[in-house]
Amino acid sequence: VQQADVEELKFGSGRFTIRDEGVRLLAEIFCFLPSLKHLDLSSNRITSTGATALAAHMSHLQQLEWLDLSGNDIGEDGATAMNEKLAHLQQLKYLMFTANGTSTHVKKSLLNTLSNMENLSTVNFSTEMYSYYTYMYHLDVYNNKGSRLMIEMGAADIVTLANQLFSQVYKVELSCRGSVLYSVKAVEGETSHRVTLDLTCAGNIVDNIKALSVVLPVGH
């Protein structure tokens, strides 16, 4: 079998999903797809079984820049298996992991891995699939080299993820539709807090305030 010069693959549409068995077969030919840059496996009814098979062969995708696994049922075991192999995807820039039934603990482990990937710029960790009526929040995480990783999430995810991140990174900013709601930055080993609040931000004001009440330091 010869290598194929394929840069983009998308599977699944409505009732036509490849599920775990299809993902397993696909993963076994990754070694023949060295040029693959865009892989969309969203909404394909993939469980932890399929995710584990996918993870086992991901190291062959050295040029992969975009990976969409949203809308599946990968769960804790599948996400853990993926986490062990994601670091091999050094060209990855965008990861969609929306609505996959993973806990905050597993998301934290994933973020620990992803934050060290030099080219990764955006991750979506929302618990629900995005719709026109959903207000998406951005949690921008900066390391001490100035590199940014933008984490996209819904209002329900902010509380659980924000607290997990503040003790591990150099700076975090929470924003909605271009307006920064909150920013925290570590200076000389200590955490100093700078608040930028814009309540005209498009979105549900109640959700904004609930999120801020958790991440604001005592005394603000």
Side-chain angles (χ1 to χ4, degrees), residues 26-44:
L26 172 65
E28 290 179 356
I29 65 168
F30 279 168
C31 57
F32 302 111
L33 301 171
S35 301
L36 190 64
K37 293 183 177 180
H38 187 126
L39 179 59
D40 188 344
L41 295 172
S42 59
S43 302
N44 269 287

Side-chain angles (χ1 to χ4, degrees), residues 68-83:
D68 190 345
L69 296 169
S70 57
N72 288 295
D73 190 21
I74 288 175
E76 304 286 274
D77 293 341
T80 299
M82 294 288 294
N83 187 42

Side-chain angles (χ1 to χ4, degrees), residues 3-219:
Q3 292 184 345
D5 189 20
V6 177
E7 293 191 359
E8 181 173 350
L9 286 175
K10 176 178 174 59
F11 295 89
S13 178
R15 295 177 298 170
F16 303 101
T17 56
I18 62 174
R19 307 193 184 193
D20 289 337
E21 180 60 16
V23 168
R24 182 187 67 79
L25 294 173
L26 172 65
E28 290 179 356
I29 65 168
F30 279 168
C31 57
F32 302 111
L33 301 171
S35 301
L36 190 64
K37 293 183 177 180
H38 187 126
L39 179 59
D40 188 344
L41 295 172
S42 59
S43 302
N44 269 287
R45 301 187 183 183
I46 300 169
T47 70
S48 60
T49 301
T52 301
L54 187 68
H57 298 275
M58 279 199 309
S59 61
H60 294 291
L61 303 180
Q62 292 297 304
Q63 299 303 312
L64 194 67
E65 298 179 356
W66 175 294
L67 178 59
D68 190 345
L69 296 169
S70 57
N72 288 295
D73 190 21
I74 288 175
E76 304 286 274
D77 293 341
T80 299
M82 294 288 294
N83 187 42
E84 294 173 356
K85 302 296 183 180
L86 279 170
H88 292 292
L89 305 180
Q90 287 301 312
Q91 299 304 313
L92 194 66
K93 297 178 180 178
Y94 195 91
L95 173 63
M96 288 284 289
F97 210 79
T98 311
N100 264 300
T102 51
S103 66
T104 301
H105 174 74
V106 170
K107 287 178 181 177
K108 179 181 176 182
S109 296
L110 283 165
L111 287 172
N112 286 337
T113 298
L114 298 173
S115 62
N116 291 313
M117 295 175 66
E118 185 175 343
N119 292 304
L120 189 66
S121 62
T122 305
V123 178
N124 190 309
F125 269 156
S126 298
T127 53
E128 298 179 358
M129 293 293 284
Y130 178 81
S131 71
Y132 178 79
Y133 300 102
T134 302
Y135 289 104
M136 188 64 66
Y137 289 82
H138 294 159
L139 202 61
D140 293 332
V141 179
Y142 298 80
N143 62 24
N144 56 11
K145 297 179 181 178
S147 298
R148 185 189 76 163
L149 173 61
M150 183 174 71
I151 305 164
E152 298 177 340
M153 70 191 96
D157 308 285
I158 296 173
V159 170
T160 53
L161 280 180
N163 281 341
Q164 302 290 338
L165 289 169
F166 282 159
S167 62
Q168 304 171 44
V169 298
Y170 180 68
K171 183 170 74 171
V172 174
E173 287 186 351
L174 174 64
S175 62
C176 175
R177 298 216 172 165
S179 296
V180 176
L181 299 176
Y182 179 72
S183 177
V184 59
K185 181 177 181 179
V187 179
E188 297 180 357
E190 297 181 356
T191 301
S192 61
H193 299 278
R194 174 173 59 85
V195 178
T196 306
L197 188 59
D198 180 3
L199 292 182
T200 64
C201 169
N204 186 312
I205 293 298
V206 175
D207 287 338
N208 289 344
I209 294 174
K210 282 182 179 178
L212 289 169
S213 68
V214 174
V215 299
L216 283 173
V218 176

